Amino acid sequence: MTQKLIIYAILVAAGVGAGYALAISGGFTFPKTVVSDSQGHDDHAGHDHDHDHDHGDESANQIVLSEQARKNLGLVVEPIKKSEFWRTIVVPGTISEQPGHSERRITTNVNGVVTKVYVLPGQTVRPGEALVDIQTTGEVLANAQSSLLKTVQEIELVDLELKRIEPLVEQGSIPGTRVLEKKYEKQRLETQQLVQIQELLVRGLDTDQIRAIMDSKILLRSFTIRVPTDEEEKLSNVTSQSVKSIINHVDFKVAPAAPVAAPSDQVYSVENLGVYPGKLVNPGDELCALALHTDLRITGMAFQKDSELINQTIEEQRPVTAIFESNSSQPMVRENLKIQYADNIVDPESRLLRFYLPIKNEVIRDLKNPDGVMFRAWRFKPGQRVQLRVPVEHWKDKIVLPIAAVVREGAESYVFRENGTLMERVPVSVVYEDSRFAVLADDGSLFPDDPIAMNEAYQLNLALRKAQGGGVDLHAGHSH
């Protein structure tokens, strides 16, 4: 009996082992356990597991942005408006001074020793402000002053003599020819005085200094070199009116022939200071160099093949845009500049045609040091590089967006259109783009007044891609 039981157990074990082997080899399958929800529904009912899940093209091109996300991006959404646009070419340029107007060299007309310097390099000065004090050492200026003083004293003596003898002539005590002789002598001395005053004016003395010499009867040993004024420049050509104003103690003013810039516009910077107290200077020596950077110009450099385009731009006065490098995310742009003229020659070495655009400088700041000395910082500086966008073709009724509103992905270009809380990615066709704008084809993908994200298209596309590839998989963990 026991032996039969052992044989039976061996047969059962063998049968179980054979069945397990068949199961592994695929001879038959174990029944599946179906996982249902509380209502008895199968999670996989109706799913085709031989294919990827299709979530729809529409949802694949949409992204939901929270208010916080919009603020973090600084998102700007505006409706599309068709506008005009100038297709341009890019030409390099540099800021330069206006020859003959942006620099002012201050020189001396006399021999002397510098006794005081009033300014510092980089300091801001205005017309009439003191620059340098010079004590004269030359004989020429001293002799010219002495001759004038001698003439002035002789005229005064003749006037006194006339006052004495005129009553005697009326009384018949002396002949009348004596009065005529004295009047002729006074006329000769006055003519001599005019010549001597003109000599002092030519040697650099101003009208106030000459008056002071005549009034005080003291030779001028030290005088101040000042920032030139418009009036002094007009008086540089000595006239009989200016000379007579000194003799008659009349304030001589020249009526401007053309509008003169307001004093606030005439602001110089001390570019170079070549003197110091104790330095001996001679006529013609440069004391300092002043820079007038209120008005500058942009020198553009175009290739020879673009010369006809430059000429058309000058003739039609097309607006040119200047783009300056900046530390901020947006470049500094100045628009509606006009080309003033172009050179009539092409540089034989570089083969470049130079053209020029005037530009008004801008003040960044005025800063005083502890001593009250003013220093001015200008926005545009000679030597500064700039990109010029010269207009080539004028387009009308075009969809023009900022370049930050368009993102490229391979051969495709997209913009993002707002739809409630969603941002929809819309494929578009770009017909032209530069570093600032993109012009889109009017192919029906967008319509006027569509709300479009005007910036951060790249970040929106990145967020959309992350949502597509890194979002929560509803079927994660399922074995298909």
Side-chain angles (χ1 to χ4, degrees), residues 359-379:
I359 185 170
K360 193 78 173 176
N361 212 341
E362 302 168 9
V363 178
I364 298 178
R365 65 180 176 274
D366 284 325
L367 183 64
K368 288 185 178 181
N369 69 3
D371 296 328
V373 178
M374 179 72 73
F375 296 88
R376 171 167 288 186
W378 293 101
R379 185 173 303 281

Side-chain angles (χ1 to χ4, degrees), residues 55 466-476:
H55 297 287
K466 287 184 177 180
Q468 292 174 344
V472 177
D473 186 0
L474 296 178
H475 302 278

Side-chain angles (χ1 to χ4, degrees), residues 83-238:
S83 61
E84 63 178 14
F85 183 79
W86 279 99
R87 185 172 67 86
T88 61
I89 62 170
V90 179
V91 176
T94 58
I95 297 291
S96 58
E97 295 179 326
Q98 292 190 359
H101 295 276
S102 297
E103 291 181 306
R104 186 64 184 262
R105 306 290 178 175
I106 306 299
T107 59
T108 176
N109 295 325
V110 299
N111 297 92
V113 177
V114 176
T115 58
K116 186 175 182 179
V117 178
Y118 291 93
V119 294
L120 297 172
Q123 179 179 341
T124 298
V125 292
R126 298 179 183 275
E129 293 186 3
L131 296 173
V132 177
D133 278 348
I134 296 180
Q135 182 177 336
T136 60
T137 57
E139 295 181 358
V140 176
L141 183 60
N143 292 338
Q145 295 183 74
S146 299
S147 299
L148 176 60
L149 282 182
K150 183 179 179 180
T151 302
V152 171
Q153 291 173 347
E154 289 178 351
I155 292 175
E156 291 178 352
L157 290 175
V158 170
D159 285 336
L160 290 175
E161 183 65 13
L162 284 173
K163 289 182 180 179
R164 187 185 69 82
I165 65 176
E166 282 178 347
L168 297 178
V169 172
E170 292 178 358
Q171 295 174 6
S173 302
I174 58 175
T177 54
R178 291 283 302 276
V179 175
L180 290 177
E181 290 175 357
K182 289 299 178 181
K183 286 185 177 180
Y184 291 148
E185 183 180 359
K186 180 180 180 181
Q187 185 176 1
R188 178 184 63 80
L189 291 172
E190 287 178 343
T191 302
Q192 181 176 306
Q193 183 185 45
L194 291 175
V195 175
Q196 292 166 342
I197 290 174
Q198 293 178 61
E199 181 181 359
L200 291 176
L201 286 171
V202 171
R203 294 192 179 281
L205 273 64
D206 58 32
T207 56
D208 292 334
Q209 290 171 331
I210 298 175
R211 285 197 190 105
I213 294 171
M214 296 171 63
D215 292 340
S216 65
K217 307 297 190 296
I218 299 174
L219 297 182
L220 183 66
R221 294 191 59 210
S222 178
F223 63 97
T224 302
I225 304 293
R226 299 180 179 275
V227 180
T229 62
D230 291 338
E231 181 178 338
E232 290 175 355
E233 292 176 358
K234 292 180 176 64
L235 288 175
S236 59
N237 293 327
V238 180

Side-chain angles (χ1 to χ4, degrees), residues 327-343:
N327 289 331
S328 62
S329 58
Q330 296 295 329
M332 183 171 58
V333 179
R334 294 296 179 270
E335 297 179 324
N336 296 320
L337 301 178
K338 301 297 175 63
I339 301 178
Q340 195 172 51
Y341 74 99
D343 287 342

